[in-house]
Amino acid sequence: MDIHEYQAKEILSAFGVDTPRGGLAYSPEQAAYRARELGGNKWIVKAQVHAGGRGKVGGVQLCETDQEVQDAASKMLGRKLVTHQTGPEGKGVYRLYVEGAVQIDREIYVGFVLDRTTQRIMIVASAEGGMEIEDISANRPDSIVRAVIDPAVGLREFQAREVSFALKVEPSLTQQMVRTLMGCYRAFRDRDATMVEINPLVITGDNRVVALDAKMTFDDNALFRHPAISELRDKSQEDPRESRAADRGLSYVGLEGKIGCIVNGAGLAMATMDTIKLSGGEPANFLDIGGGATPERVGKAFRLVKSDDKVQAILVNIFAGINRCDWVAEGVVQVLREEPVDIPVVVRLSGTNVEEGQKILAESGLPIIRAATLKEAADRVVEAWQNETKA
Ligand code: GDP
Ligand code: MN
């Protein structure tokens, strides 16, 4: 789960990371009020969306009067911000963060990520702040500093100091750098984050180390033990199809094609998507019903996929081990009886209770296309979809 910049800053500042003073605004008037409340004579108005790259597309504005703050705010609020991280649909701007502007001497990139190779939290930093990490690794790979953190002892002060030296931060600022890095690490670990990114971390004109931007992502599977973080979820920033699935406890990834897929297990999902592509189709999603799915759960999954306007054909592909083919068949049949669809539905069942499952489908009298193998299922769903769209 992602959160907004101002929320990430609030969390990090509780762990000792220095951030600019700021206030949240939902309207242009409130933005101007925030500026007056903060005082000073330069402010930054920042669109709060779950994506970076805002600066390049007008989502970060420097203002010199409270009237300018108000004008910048009215231009941003309610509009869709399209950055290289949002996808072509963009993300709606409903909240703004107004901060007192900071004078920047140097910009540094700092990221804490889960490194799958070493299976540890790793610091990735670069003296080339302000640039996106993708650009840094493409253009200035030599500038990247890495430090792998041993989970048994956590981030050690000497390691943080080494990172600071490697970034050529002045010795007089080492202590502040260490405090910042330790704070990010503790926030990452204690809150079950999967990513903390500060870009840029700046050295200010008055020699402070300040997080000017902040991004945090959390492990969805650990959210149950962080109710305060779960509450930060902002559905306006999510793919509506994925939010609806998450509300139902289903694992769903929205894609761009036309064929809805209901499968069990991530491996089978990958294989199903590949096979659909091989047969000449494009998957509209990836929906995993998990193990031991009851007919009700299968029904929920099926309703969710068919409610997606993009979906023009549905493939149910279940390789049942813990699952039961009869339950899957029952779930599909129940939904189709209650809410008939006018798009082709292909079902391929294999494994536990497959005969019972096939029998339920066959005896339902519903126009369900059955297939014995994955290849056959993919061919038939693509073929049925092509016939349907031609008709
Ligand atoms: P992003 O484009 O979504 O990553 O948004 P950022 O929060 O990183 O802001 C983009 C850029 O705006 C930063 O890299 C800074 O160069 C600039 N910026 C943001 N806040 C300030 C500030 O307080 N003072 C100054 N001078 N520049 C700022
Ligand atoms: Mn940034």
Side-chain angles (χ1 to χ4, degrees):
M1 187 187 82
D2 291 329
I3 60 172
H4 287 294
E5 172 197 3
Y6 76 93
Q7 296 165 332
K9 282 178 167 167
E10 202 170 296
I11 293 172
L12 292 171
S13 90
F15 283 88
V17 176
D18 203 355
T19 57
R21 291 201 316 126
L24 194 65
Y26 292 90
S27 72
E29 295 71 26
Q30 202 182 7
Y33 174 81
R34 287 296 186 206
R36 288 192 294 274
E37 189 182 51
L38 287 165
N41 52 19
K42 281 198 180 74
W43 301 272
I44 306 278
V45 180
K46 308 184 80 174
Q48 297 299 292
V49 291
H50 286 182
R54 299 162 298 172
K56 293 196 184 84
V57 294
V60 177
Q61 297 275 333
L62 175 70
C63 301
E64 303 204 343
T65 64
D66 57 353
Q67 187 59 47
E68 278 180 37
V69 168
Q70 185 158 338
D71 294 344
S74 52
K75 283 201 194 103
M76 284 184 212
L77 279 167
R79 102 171 218 228
K80 290 248 174 197
L81 206 63
V82 181
T83 82
H84 67 281
Q85 288 184 2
T86 58
E89 279 152 31
K91 299 216 173 202
V93 182
Y94 307 106
R95 305 178 199 189
L96 299 173
Y97 196 47
V98 182
E99 286 183 333
V102 164
Q103 199 211 319
I104 303 176
D105 262 10
R106 259 193 79 185
E107 294 188 308
I108 295 170
Y109 174 93
V110 177
F112 286 72
V113 293
L114 274 175
D115 179 47
R116 291 180 198 280
T117 313
T118 55
Q119 302 181 10
R120 280 163 169 56
I121 299 172
M122 182 165 79
I123 301 179
V124 179
S126 165
E128 304 285 330
M131 260 202 265
E132 304 297 332
I133 187 65
E134 292 81 6
D135 298 332
I136 300 172
S137 58
N139 306 324
R140 290 293 317 278
D142 50 301
S143 78
I144 296 179
V145 174
R146 291 186 178 81
V148 174
I149 301 168
D150 184 330
V153 290
L155 178 61
R156 305 273 79 192
E157 290 214 8
F158 82 84
Q159 261 187 312
R161 239 178 278 128
E162 277 175 3
V163 171
S164 183
F165 291 142
L167 294 169
K168 300 193 171 60
V169 173
E170 266 188 64
S172 63
L173 295 174
T174 308
Q175 262 326 305
Q176 287 192 56
M177 274 300 286
V178 169
R179 196 184 66 216
T180 305
L181 294 172
M182 300 290 275
C184 290
Y185 170 70
R186 289 189 185 119
F188 188 115
R189 186 198 57 192
D190 291 4
R191 298 290 180 265
D192 286 310
T194 54
M195 204 257 311
V196 172
E197 185 187 61
I198 316 275
N199 188 25
L201 177 70
V202 302
I203 313 285
T204 65
D206 56 352
N207 276 322
R208 288 187 306 135
V209 176
V210 179
L212 221 55
D213 191 6
K215 190 172 178 188
M216 285 185 88
T217 306
F218 297 91
D219 183 347
D220 292 343
N221 295 315
L223 282 175
F224 73 93
R225 55 184 189 190
H226 301 290
I229 288 167
S230 307
E231 283 188 11
L232 303 181
R233 184 166 164 206
D234 180 355
K235 290 190 190 173
S236 78
Q237 302 294 308
E238 296 174 355
D239 180 330
R241 298 176 296 174
E242 289 179 18
S243 323
R244 276 203 302 273
D247 290 344
R248 289 163 181 73
L250 295 160
S251 159
Y252 185 100
V253 179
L255 303 166
E256 302 304 315
K258 303 292 182 198
I259 296 174
C261 308
I262 297 167
V263 298
N264 63 303
L268 188 63
M270 296 293 173
T272 306
M273 293 191 297
D274 284 348
T275 315
I276 287 175
K277 285 201 173 199
L278 205 63
S279 302
E282 285 287 339
N285 71 288
F286 158 148
L287 192 151
D288 182 358
I289 59 166
T294 58
E296 290 68 39
R297 188 172 168 82
V298 174
K300 272 184 195 166
F302 200 90
R303 282 199 181 85
L304 193 79
V305 170
K306 90 184 177 57
S307 71
D308 182 347
D309 294 336
K310 278 189 181 144
V311 170
Q312 297 175 350
I314 296 178
L315 171 58
V316 180
N317 182 29
I318 302 296
F319 195 94
I322 311 171
N323 275 304
R324 293 175 44 171
C325 291
D326 52 334
W327 282 8
V328 173
E330 258 177 55
V332 172
V333 166
Q334 269 171 25
V335 175
L336 289 176
R337 285 231 170 89
E338 284 162 27
E339 308 161 33
V341 293
D342 50 9
I343 57 173
V345 176
V346 176
V347 179
R348 180 257 178 157
L349 299 173
S350 179
T352 309
N353 294 356
V354 64
E355 287 84 14
E356 291 90 327
Q358 296 294 8
K359 194 157 166 254
I360 292 167
L361 296 179
E363 290 176 358
S364 69
L366 292 162
I368 297 170
I369 304 169
R370 282 177 290 148
T373 65
L374 171 52
K375 182 72 178 90
E376 186 194 342
D379 284 344
R380 299 203 70 177
V381 76
V382 172
E383 186 189 78
W385 165 66
Q386 283 166 343
N387 290 338
E388 198 70 19
T389 42
K390 261 182 238 146

